[in-house]
Amino acid sequence: MRGNVWAKGMLATGALAGALLTQTSPACGQGKEQTAGQQMDLATVGALLQKLQAQVQDLHAQVSDLKAQQQSAKAESEALRKELDLAKSQLVAMTVPMSTGSPAQTVSVASSKTPTTEERISRLEENQQLADSKIAEQSQTKVESGSKYRLRFTGIVLLNMFENRGTVENTDFPLLAENRQSQFLSSGGSFGGSLRQSQIGIEAFGPSIAGAQTSANLQFDFAGGFPDVPNGTSFGVMRLRIGTVRLDWPKTSVIAGQDTLFFVPNNPTSLATLAVPALAYSGTLWNWAPQVRVEHKFMVSESGSFLIQGGILDSLTGDTPPSAYYRVPTWGERSGQPAYATRISWTQDIHGQNLTLGAGGYYGRQAWGFGRNVDGWAGTVDASLPLGKKFELTAEFFRGRAIGGLGGGIGQSALWQGSLADPATDVYGLNSVGGWSQLKFKATSKLQFNGAYGLDNPYAHELREHGGNTNYYPVPLSKNESGLVNFIYQPRSDIVFSMEYRRIKTFTLDQGANAANIANVSVGYLF
């Protein structure tokens, strides 16, 4: 290209020189015709000069482009040289340490060459065989569902060995202490074992609907009673605990099904009483109630948030079903309206641990017939306070009325004197107050120690004034308190051991207290 440019320039210059050389002064004898010819030659020279000037400018532009291309090629060559040096250094670094290992690990420089087509096909076949074997293995072990979405099977196989010193209402996970003489041929102590607190859970993970992730959860245990067969105490009946469907957006959730009481979210830590929460009827409000609730989280800062929860629940009053096959409405369901509950909580992250403070409320109307309505209600507060990296304090308190269906009032909701079938018999809601607290010490990531105490105190003067309700207990109970200490050791994610000591003290109205001491050893396998 550079030769063409110079050739064009030389041709233009020669043409111009020839034109100049052919120009002469006009002779004296020549006429006007010669003058006109000279004027035409001058016009031709002007045109050639303009053409030459344009070609020179084009030549300058092309020379500038050549210089720019030369500089770019030089920079590209330098970059390629650096990449080549880096590749060589990396290849040496790979070859040297691997060659110092076993012969099977030695790699030569020649092995870094580009694989052939045959080698690539062979590697693809090997990877396909490996993937097929993994898929076959997974298909033998996974839990399949009727849909294409994932299921997860969870649970715990839990053995509890226990020794009771004193008379209790339930041998394997007692909640109340009773008078020894109240049970026929009672020895005042017992020893036994049980697996009916084992649990089975199924979790399902569904599609996204309107931006919400869907999921479902079912949870069962075997504490639903005993079959009427020899040694039936070892054959616990399966019981539904939890069954929920969830729609979870980034900050909002909708939950429908049977679940725990969301306005009292905490429970003491114990493996001895998984069938019911530890310290139940001793300050812990609990139940599994059909409900629909909505939750929304407000982020106040990067480490702080508010959570608002609200929903409706089946109005439970702690009634015993009159039939094993047909469902009769409870006193709460007879009111024709659900129970209502709400909770607001604040959570703050403190050095990787959550500090949570919450307050909740509950209301449920009960219809005891003949226009006798009782308003059940409860106010609750809860707290979870980290005390450094090793300690944590958890507490929960309530004040309520007619909340026996939630475990308050030691399971006693309403009081009356006389026959409930008599329209003249008045029905009163029993007031009660209680709560519990627990101190946890996390010795290591695998070992923790817990100490907890709880108290449920129905109003004794109301029991005296309005009479006890023998539908609950043979005698009115005016106070129940429990304390426990335990350790939980989890050497692996699937194995857990625990030992616990618990003392229960139950007060009968104006008749003193009965006490029981319980020792429990638990061995569990989680899956």
Side-chain angles (χ1 to χ4, degrees), residues 393-416:
L393 178 64
T394 308
E396 204 165 77
F397 303 96
F398 73 87
R399 164 72 173 90
R401 180 173 183 260
I403 52 174
L406 311 181
I410 322 179
Q412 305 167 110
S413 282
L415 306 174
W416 62 85

Side-chain angles (χ1 to χ4, degrees), residues 296-320:
H296 185 76
K297 180 182 291 186
F298 296 90
M299 298 302 300
V300 179
S301 63
E302 293 183 356
S303 59
S305 64
F306 277 102
L307 177 65
I308 296 180
Q309 301 167 283
I312 59 174
L313 303 87
D314 193 347
S315 186
L316 304 177
T317 51
D319 312 333
T320 302

